[in-house]
Amino acid sequence: MTKTLLVLANGRDRVGVLRADVRGYMSFEYDPEWLASPAAYPVSQSIPLRDGAFDHQAIEPFFDGLLPDKKDVRRQIAALFDVAPTDEFGILEHIGRDCAGALMLIHPDQAKSPLQSDAHLSAISTDDLAKRIAELPQRPLFIEEDEVVLSLAGVNDKAAVYIDPATQEISLPFGGYPSTHILKVDIERLPDSTRTEHFCMKLARKVGLDAAHTKIRLFNDRPVLFVTRFDRAYAQTSNGVRVTRLHQEDVCQALGVNPDVKYERQGGPDLAAMFALTKQASTIPARDIPKLLGFVIFNFLIGNPDAHAKNYSLIYRQRPTNAKATNVHTAISPLYDVNNGAAFRDCFKSQRPRLAQSIGGCFDPTELDWPHWESQARMIGSSPTALRKALLTMAKKLRETINPLRDEVRDTDADSPRLDHIVDDVSNRCEAWIRKLG
């Protein structure tokens, strides 16, 4: 018997239908009205707007990419709902009402008015939130048998909350109500990874990059990273602030690559594929190509070993042009999920420097030299001269900014001794490249 889920944009517009046959193989088909709408955008660059059904092979990378990366988290969720951990449709059936981006996956019998039915916020006390945070490893995504409504990709233990823009009060969103923030706790066996990520994200914004906003808050002395969702938009109405979803997909989803092979060494996208996608999909490539290059350079200089293709995204914004038409603006999303590997050298018996995506074919940052960058520039259709200038400029900005930022967060809830390791690692790398290029 075929099972069906409706795919909605912002809980209102019917984008299409996701189906699963008796073997669990999925298919997807766009709704004719969506295809005819000037506001339509593809759920993925790998699932372009067209008539007809897309088969399992075509759509699995996108829909699988909506689910948590951690296999044990999938097993926990699957066990709660008595479905197989490999049954992507079965899991989305229960947690697909608040995914990354604008999409909601709901049962057909909920389609009449999903936003007006059971969508609501539930206030939560600080003590109750602290308890839920402590239980995140056992209750991923704050799962409850009758209240699981959201899905988040990634390897952190995380959940989503709503923070009131005016009062800053925290609530839990249910029934498809859009969340506004993602909260993360430390990665298992990497103490203070929330604080190091916060520091790297602040550093990115300090040097002028478009990066997600983050904040550290303590709950029973446990640091929790709150990340403001950039796939949300806010509008002031007579009833207060209205939150709407913006569609988003990561580069693996956009290229039709399964998240299990997100690293280039595993067969995942390389930088050339990522830049080619940006040139094809971006509304303004002349703006997004330099922006993406800035992200790549920053991730290298910051010493981020996990800058794989799932940690870069496209975001889709609907832009009204007149009363009868709307166009869709596609762009590289803000930077997110940035950290430094050297901060955790004491957590491993040995730590081999590596890059998630090679630069000029080189995966070892200690062996990387200018000819590798020069080769990479040609692979992505960029000017080696322009890339050299961008690399040198970023290295100088980081050198000038990182110590003042370290002083800024000292003796705050965001402080950690590991930040000193980041400062030393990044400063040394920047100095070396300034000497090479200067």
Side-chain angles (χ1 to χ4, degrees), residues 165-219:
T167 66
Q168 296 301 298
E169 292 181 356
I170 300 176
S171 301
L172 298 183
F174 293 117
Y177 203 100
S179 54
T180 61
H181 291 71
I182 294 169
L183 63 84
K184 300 180 180 181
V185 297
D186 286 340
I187 298 172
E188 187 179 4
R189 295 188 295 277
L190 296 182
D192 268 356
S193 63
T194 49
R195 287 178 166 127
T196 55
E197 180 175 342
H198 172 66
F199 183 81
C200 292
M201 295 298 292
K202 281 184 71 71
L203 185 57
R205 293 195 301 277
K206 289 281 188 181
V207 297
L209 296 180
D210 178 21
H213 287 265
T214 58
K215 184 176 182 179
I216 292 288
R217 293 183 59 174
L218 298 184
F219 290 84

Side-chain angles (χ1 to χ4, degrees), residues 128-315:
D128 285 344
L129 183 57
K131 183 174 183 292
R132 284 180 179 251
I133 289 169
E135 294 173 348
L136 260 178
Q138 293 75 44
R139 293 174 58 198
L141 307 175
F142 291 163
I143 57 174
E144 291 182 13
E145 191 167 356
D146 59 345
E147 291 284 15
V148 178
V149 293
L150 61 93
S151 179
L152 297 170
V155 298
N156 288 74
D157 289 318
K158 62 178 69 171
V161 296
Y162 178 92
I163 300 183
D164 188 281
T167 66
Q168 296 301 298
E169 292 181 356
I170 300 176
S171 301
L172 298 183
F174 293 117
Y177 203 100
S179 54
T180 61
H181 291 71
I182 294 169
L183 63 84
K184 300 180 180 181
V185 297
D186 286 340
I187 298 172
E188 187 179 4
R189 295 188 295 277
L190 296 182
D192 268 356
S193 63
T194 49
R195 287 178 166 127
T196 55
E197 180 175 342
H198 172 66
F199 183 81
C200 292
M201 295 298 292
K202 281 184 71 71
L203 185 57
R205 293 195 301 277
K206 289 281 188 181
V207 297
L209 296 180
D210 178 21
H213 287 265
T214 58
K215 184 176 182 179
I216 292 288
R217 293 183 59 174
L218 298 184
F219 290 84
N220 290 341
D221 294 326
R222 177 197 294 266
V224 178
L225 180 70
F226 285 79
V227 184
T228 303
R229 298 190 70 151
F230 52 76
D231 56 347
R232 298 292 184 261
Y234 302 85
Q236 189 68 43
T237 70
S238 57
N239 297 321
V241 176
R242 179 170 59 92
V243 181
T244 56
R245 297 172 170 87
L246 301 175
H247 189 50
Q248 170 208 338
E249 64 169 330
D250 64 54
V251 168
C252 278
Q253 290 173 306
L255 290 172
V257 175
N258 193 287
D260 286 343
V261 289
K262 59 191 176 185
Y263 292 97
E264 183 185 339
R265 278 183 178 270
Q266 300 170 333
D270 60 11
L271 289 176
M274 198 161 70
F275 277 85
L277 169 72
T278 304
K279 290 175 184 176
Q280 170 198 327
S282 171
T283 303
I284 310 176
R287 184 173 64 187
D288 279 334
I289 293 297
K291 178 178 179 178
L292 179 59
L293 182 59
F295 290 175
V296 170
I297 291 172
F298 178 81
N299 271 319
F300 166 70
L301 291 174
I302 202 73
N304 182 10
D306 215 36
H308 51 68
K310 278 188 71 65
N311 283 339
Y312 298 94
S313 287
L314 296 173
I315 195 157

Side-chain angles (χ1 to χ4, degrees), residues 381-392:
S382 179
S383 158
T385 302
L387 192 153
R388 186 185 187 98
K389 181 179 178 181
L391 180 57
L392 181 59

Side-chain angles (χ1 to χ4, degrees), residues 24-25 43 57 103 113 116 120 131 190 249 283 334 336 342 379:
Y25 287 108
V43 298
Q57 187 175 2
L103 301 186
S113 55
Q116 286 72 40
H120 66 283
K131 183 174 183 292
L190 296 182
E249 64 169 330
T283 303
Y336 59 95
M379 292 179 195

Side-chain angles (χ1 to χ4, degrees), residues 371-383:
H372 295 106
W373 281 105
E374 190 173 28
S375 174
Q376 188 64 61
R378 295 192 176 94
M379 292 179 195
I380 63 176
S382 179
S383 158

